[in-house]
Amino acid sequence: MKALHARYPFLSAAREAVETAGVDLSELVASDSAAVERGLERVEWAVTEGTVGEPHRRTRVELLSYPVARVLVSLVDEHILLRRYARAEAVTAYDRFSEELTATAEFQSTRTERLDRQDLLAEFDLSGHVHAVAGEDGEYRVDVGTYLEHTAGQWGDEWRLVNRPLADGQVPVDEDELLLLVRQAVRRRVEDGLPLSVPDAIATELDDETERVRDVLADLDLTRDIDTVVPDLFPPCMRHLLDKVQKGEHLEHHSRFAIAAFLTSIGMSTDEIVELFQVNPGFGEEATRYQVDHIRGETSPTEYSAPACATMQSYGDCVNKDDICEDVINESHPLNYYEHRLEEADEEELVDWRDGEEDEEDDDAG
Amino acid sequence: MEERTRAYLRGRFGDYYRRAEITPPPDANEREWGYIPWTSGPGTTMVRHKSLLDLGDIEGFLERERPRHVYFSAGRYDDPSAGSMSEKHWRTSDLVFDLDADHLPSVTLGEDSYAEMLAKCKDALLRLLDFLEDDFGFEEMTIAFSGGRGYHVHVRDPGIQELEREARREVVDYVRGMGMEFDAVIDEEAVGGEVGRKSPAHNEYLPTDGGWGRRIHERLLAEFEQIKSLDEDAAVERLQEYDGVGEKKARAAWNIAQDRFVEIERGNLSAHPVVKNFAERIAASVVEEDDAPIDEPVTTDTNRLIRLPGTLHGGSGLAVRRIDRDAVDDFDPLVDAVPDTFVGHEIAVEVTDGGLIELLGDSFTLSEGEHTVPEHVGVFLMARGRAEKGPE
Ligand code: SF4
């Protein structure tokens, strides 16, 4: 087993190596306590630190701890754990490959096999979509579909397509940005297939470890209140209405009522609502404040009765309903939709709109 | 709509479909199909979740059923006829854009005539195509007149097929200029110094070769070309008409236009504060002038049903027409989307909601009551609910 595989256990070559070595997972969890221990550590660190920790000194243990960690994550099967774990694996890999790729020749270790940029891109089917700019070191152009696949909704304003000099279907990125894109690809790779279905024998063997992970999770305060304002997670109907408001389009009364009542229900004040609406220049602030106040006055002070889906539908305000509307909330109430999305989301990645336009870029982005 | 009107329209739609050649979209058998029949009653119910297998071949189906409206899905599925989206198992989706006169800020509803609305919609279509062709570099596009109040563009390039909702939203925001932030658009470049060294000085540049940056830059360039062509006093006077531009700023701008025009060409915003100042001013208005106000939900919805080109729009009697790219400039929906089948006959109608109708280059102003009109006019009025079929 190669050190390279232990460093990057999600590579297809690493997976093959595990397969060729004929490792049997149930035997592994029963007999290799070092791999199990390190697997547990990967997951615990993922939850508490956001990385998977320092590698075990033995290559074999380090490599085999990866499938163990995946099994553990699957056994606990909490959405938030899954996301955090995948993110931590990606962050750790990113730290390692960015260091390797940027090290100057003299510091490069010759002992171990290294990952070069081409291999890394090829591993994630990126080679055909990332084009080095001739004559400009560290400058690339990424095909727009690939760019969006890995960046949409991830980071701050600078990453949004609308702020990029897109031309001929390609988005220019620099070296650092390219590596962040790869990090995102790693994360998807790790997430892929999770949760695994785990045979009972293995599950029983890992009872203690599973319990431990649950404890660690429980110690974190992961509960989210509905009064967090993340417009990206609004139900489609409300996103649509908000969008119209922000574009300065005229809304009929029932629509204005729906959006204002919804925003009130998630804990926004009149001032905040007015501010959220005010994206469009030429928007009449006073008129809106008056309207919003008025709408709030129409509802009882304790309970701002945002309309249910049935009401939204009869007014034609149910626009663009999606799978969550149909299959999860059964077209009950837009607030249920929002609550569901908040629960699904990884707390760390949610930025309350009221916390301003601060840099959303991950602190670990280096 | 009365029964005899409905029966007439359905019959004539059938005549149209007997002659029409309909080219189905690629991968037609992986898509969901739907249609709205000519049923009575106020509630129109769409028959959906059909696969091509359920319908048989498209042309045969249309001839038999003679539907009022016909749709197919932007998405492709493992099982297109399954009753819910999760059971269908989504594979990929075309990227679809919908421009609808109802949603255009430039359109004044109730004031603009149908022809005027459609003309404004075509302007927006040309702006949209500019984004799709130049910025996105898309190559596999089908452009269609919707048969109603606007245009559709179906993009089928392989690179976008698998994009999910969130990524499609980025595309929408791009063509609409939503979230464009001047500070995020401009680039910083270190001045002198070696890369990696601490070099505190940065120059700010407007990207000149792509994106909204290019659009801002083009206007900046035009502005400074103007300034350059004027003599100093005229320029200073003109520039002071802008808010917040005093004599000092105006002179500075004129000087740069004369002596350092190359900096403007490069997009160098650090050449002088006045340059950045002008660029910011332009950025604030460029979105309004250049954006393509598409209907967002259509583009982000990977399961959207959309009208089939070649079929008839039951609310206008006009054809949903595929338009070749070179033909877009000259396309006139009120001429080119009138189905031949309805041309060259006269019919009697009872007009219930009169007014102006412009079709095939003629305009008619009809009052309420019985009229004998060219059939295409009659069909249009009946389909729009503005007339009933008159006695034979
Ligand atoms: S189903 Fe409910 S939550 Fe979903 S879009 Fe319609 S009204 Fe909104």
Side-chain angles (χ1 to χ4, degrees):
Chain A
M1 285 177 184
K2 296 182 181 168
L4 181 74
H5 298 156
R7 273 205 309 283
Y8 305 111
F10 49 81
L11 296 178
S12 22
R15 187 194 187 126
E16 273 159 34
V18 174
E19 272 164 21
T20 359
V23 178
D24 177 74
L25 203 54
S26 40
E27 239 167 71
L28 176 73
V29 296
S31 62
D32 191 336
S33 58
V36 171
E37 208 173 294
R38 170 71 184 122
L40 174 62
E41 185 184 73
R42 283 187 108 94
V43 181
E44 280 188 68
W45 271 67
V47 175
T48 56
E49 311 295 327
T51 73
V52 297
E54 289 303 310
H56 194 278
R57 65 190 162 75
R58 282 167 51 210
T59 305
R60 182 186 160 89
V61 171
E62 179 65 10
L63 174 57
L64 294 179
S65 70
Y66 176 72
V68 172
R70 287 173 62 88
V71 166
L72 275 174
V73 168
S74 304
L75 286 171
V76 176
D77 193 14
E78 294 264 2
H79 188 79
I80 184 133
L81 174 64
L82 215 140
R83 304 256 314 192
R84 286 204 174 195
Y85 171 68
R87 187 161 181 270
E89 287 284 0
V91 165
T92 305
Y94 167 83
D95 289 346
R96 291 177 187 164
F97 64 65
S98 39
E99 196 181 357
E100 274 182 45
L101 292 177
T102 48
T104 50
E106 49 188 312
F107 293 115
Q108 278 165 5
S109 153
T110 43
R111 284 176 300 126
T112 50
E113 199 193 347
R114 295 176 48 244
L115 193 64
D116 68 29
R117 186 178 296 97
Q118 270 322 314
D119 296 340
L120 193 60
L121 295 179
E123 175 77 25
F124 297 102
D125 285 334
L126 292 168
S127 327
H129 302 287
V130 174
H131 318 274
V133 178
E136 302 221 27
D137 226 17
E139 297 290 328
Y140 303 86
R141 304 216 186 286
V142 180
D143 291 343
V144 63
T146 306
Y147 179 85
L148 288 178
E149 187 183 326
H150 295 295
T151 64
Q154 290 302 330
W155 299 300
D157 282 344
E158 277 75 19
W159 287 88
R160 303 216 39 212
L161 191 62
V162 70
N163 292 321
R164 291 271 163 168
L166 171 67
D168 296 326
Q170 298 184 336
V171 185
V173 300
D174 63 24
E175 180 84 34
D176 293 348
E177 292 172 332
L178 180 63
L179 295 184
L180 279 169
L181 216 111
V182 175
R183 188 179 89 183
Q184 210 47 34
V186 172
R187 179 172 160 171
R188 286 183 167 227
R189 165 77 56 90
V190 174
E191 256 171 15
D192 202 35
L194 288 181
L196 312 156
S197 64
V198 183
D200 286 348
I202 296 178
T204 322
E205 199 65 56
L206 291 173
D207 266 350
D208 292 347
E209 287 77 11
T210 314
E211 214 31 60
R212 172 80 197 124
V213 176
R214 283 192 206 283
D215 288 347
V216 174
L217 269 180
D219 284 347
L220 289 180
D221 183 16
L222 295 176
T223 48
R224 295 206 63 77
D225 274 341
I226 186 129
D227 51 0
T228 310
V229 181
V230 188
D232 275 350
L233 304 183
F234 286 179
C237 46
M238 296 300 167
R239 277 206 305 257
H240 179 72
L241 290 177
L242 182 59
D243 215 55
K244 284 178 99 163
V245 174
Q246 292 180 335
K247 285 205 75 194
E249 285 175 33
H250 174 78
L251 289 190
E252 289 186 48
H253 178 76
H254 54 83
S255 309
R256 254 179 343 214
F257 176 82
I259 181 76
F262 175 84
L263 296 175
T264 305
S265 302
I266 65 171
M268 288 179 80
S269 67
T270 301
D271 278 350
E272 287 164 354
I273 295 176
V274 169
E275 197 188 324
L276 177 64
F277 282 4
Q278 194 171 1
V279 168
N280 211 39
F283 135 107
E285 177 173 344
E286 272 320 302
T288 304
R289 181 179 305 279
Y290 173 80
Q291 278 172 5
V292 172
D293 266 343
H294 195 68
I295 285 166
R296 294 173 64 121
E298 283 175 29
T299 59
S300 86
T302 45
E303 184 192 324
Y304 300 108
S305 34
C309 293
T311 317
M312 296 289 287
Q313 285 164 357
S314 59
Y315 280 115
D317 279 335
C318 167
V319 173
N320 203 15
K321 70 181 172 203
D322 60 17
D323 289 359
I324 298 179
C325 298
E326 287 184 359
D327 302 337
V328 182
I329 64 155
N330 296 318
E331 302 181 32
S332 54
H333 202 291
L335 283 170
N336 291 343
Y337 182 108
Y338 186 52
E339 208 162 22
H340 171 78
R341 290 290 306 270
L342 283 174
E343 270 165 21
E344 288 272 287
D346 185 339
E347 176 191 34
E348 282 185 11
E349 289 168 12
L350 289 182
V351 180
D352 193 307
W353 170 84
R354 291 170 294 197
D355 295 340
E357 306 271 18
E358 57 186 34
D359 198 0
E360 281 178 64
E361 185 155 332
D362 297 344
D363 37 43
D364 48 50
Chain B
M1 185 178 293
E2 303 198 5
E3 188 51 43
R4 63 176 194 283
T5 308
R6 199 171 10 255
Y8 179 82
L9 288 175
R10 186 169 184 214
R12 292 299 279 152
F13 273 38
D15 295 336
Y16 170 86
Y17 283 122
R18 251 191 298 288
R19 270 170 251 175
E21 266 179 45
I22 309 267
T23 323
D27 313 311
N29 57 341
E30 294 171 35
R31 300 185 190 257
E32 178 192 347
W33 293 79
Y35 62 93
I36 297 181
W38 287 98
T39 40
S40 52
T44 40
T45 4
M46 189 187 306
V47 181
R48 57 179 301 183
H49 305 307
K50 298 291 174 199
S51 69
L52 210 53
L53 238 97
D54 301 327
L55 302 184
D57 82 293
I58 290 296
E59 289 182 358
F61 166 77
L62 293 175
E63 254 183 77
R64 273 195 318 278
E65 174 60 36
R66 299 161 281 164
R68 193 170 188 167
H69 304 279
V70 187
Y71 309 88
F72 72 101
S73 65
R76 298 175 192 72
Y77 309 91
D78 288 348
D79 182 3
S81 59
S84 83
M85 289 306 155
S86 41
E87 286 164 352
K88 284 194 201 312
H89 290 124
W90 180 78
R91 288 183 187 161
T92 58
S93 284
D94 303 337
L95 189 61
V96 178
F97 298 89
D98 173 31
L99 281 163
D100 188 322
D102 286 351
H103 297 147
L104 295 188
S106 58
V107 165
T108 325
L109 290 173
E111 229 172 74
D112 289 345
S113 73
Y114 189 38
E116 282 165 341
M117 288 197 287
L118 288 172
K120 287 179 180 172
C121 220
K122 204 168 83 181
D123 292 342
L125 171 67
L126 291 168
R127 295 201 298 274
L128 174 64
L129 290 174
D130 189 56
F131 284 110
L132 301 185
E133 289 166 346
D134 293 354
D135 297 39
F136 285 90
F138 291 140
E139 283 165 359
E140 295 174 37
M141 291 194 276
T142 298
I143 305 163
F145 170 59
S146 73
R149 293 168 180 247
Y151 293 90
H152 297 157
V153 181
H154 307 243
V155 176
R156 304 211 166 98
D157 287 55
I160 48 81
Q161 290 290 342
E162 285 173 32
L163 294 184
E164 291 171 11
R165 178 185 290 271
E166 209 158 29
R168 289 170 198 249
R169 238 167 101 86
E170 287 286 294
V171 176
V172 171
D173 287 352
Y174 188 90
V175 304
R176 290 182 28 176
M178 299 267 296
M180 195 266 285
E181 297 279 347
F182 185 72
D183 288 341
V185 167
I186 59 182
D187 284 336
E188 281 191 351
E189 261 170 47
V191 183
E194 280 155 33
V195 183
R197 284 276 174 79
K198 205 164 61 173
S199 83
H202 282 88
N203 270 353
E204 290 178 330
Y205 284 90
L206 205 50
T208 57
D209 49 1
W212 283 93
R214 167 174 70 82
R215 289 178 171 78
I216 299 169
H217 181 252
E218 277 167 7
R219 284 179 155 70
L220 184 72
L221 207 57
E223 178 80 41
F224 273 84
E225 260 159 17
Q226 268 273 334
I227 300 172
K228 190 177 176 199
S229 69
L230 298 172
D231 67 36
E232 183 166 4
D233 290 344
V236 168
E237 192 176 323
R238 185 184 126 94
L239 287 169
Q240 287 187 78
E241 283 167 19
Y242 290 117
D243 276 351
V245 179
E247 195 190 324
K248 210 167 142 219
K249 253 189 206 165
R251 273 191 212 289
W254 186 80
N255 279 325
I256 290 169
Q258 301 307 318
D259 308 337
R260 296 162 68 204
F261 195 73
V262 53
E263 301 295 349
I264 310 291
E265 286 173 335
R266 275 193 214 139
N268 183 359
L269 300 177
S270 306
H272 191 281
V274 78
V275 180
K276 185 169 175 190
N277 193 281
F278 271 71
E280 275 181 302
R281 187 189 302 276
I282 292 167
S285 62
V286 69
V287 169
E288 222 171 291
E289 291 160 27
D290 272 9
D291 79 326
I294 54 164
D295 191 19
E296 161 173 357
V298 177
T299 305
T300 50
D301 185 354
T302 49
N303 299 318
R304 193 74 175 192
L305 294 185
I306 186 124
R307 285 181 191 280
L308 177 64
T311 59
L312 295 179
H313 187 303
S316 68
L318 297 176
V320 183
R321 274 279 191 253
R322 198 179 261 121
I323 314 167
D324 283 344
R325 180 61 184 93
D326 327 335
V328 171
D329 278 325
D330 293 330
F331 183 81
D332 178 353
L334 298 185
V335 173
D336 300 317
V338 175
D340 283 343
T341 310
F342 306 150
V343 176
H345 319 273
E346 304 235 302
I347 56 164
V349 290
E350 275 174 38
V351 176
T352 51
D353 176 9
L356 176 75
I357 298 108
E358 296 165 281
L359 284 176
L360 285 186
D362 292 323
S363 56
F364 305 80
T365 307
L366 295 173
S367 54
E368 269 99 78
E370 271 192 34
H371 295 275
T372 299
V373 294
E375 186 182 19
H376 61 268
V377 175
V379 168
F380 177 80
L381 285 170
M382 290 187 284
R384 294 203 69 71
R386 292 172 59 186
E388 298 289 348
K389 178 76 181 60
E392 294 299 324

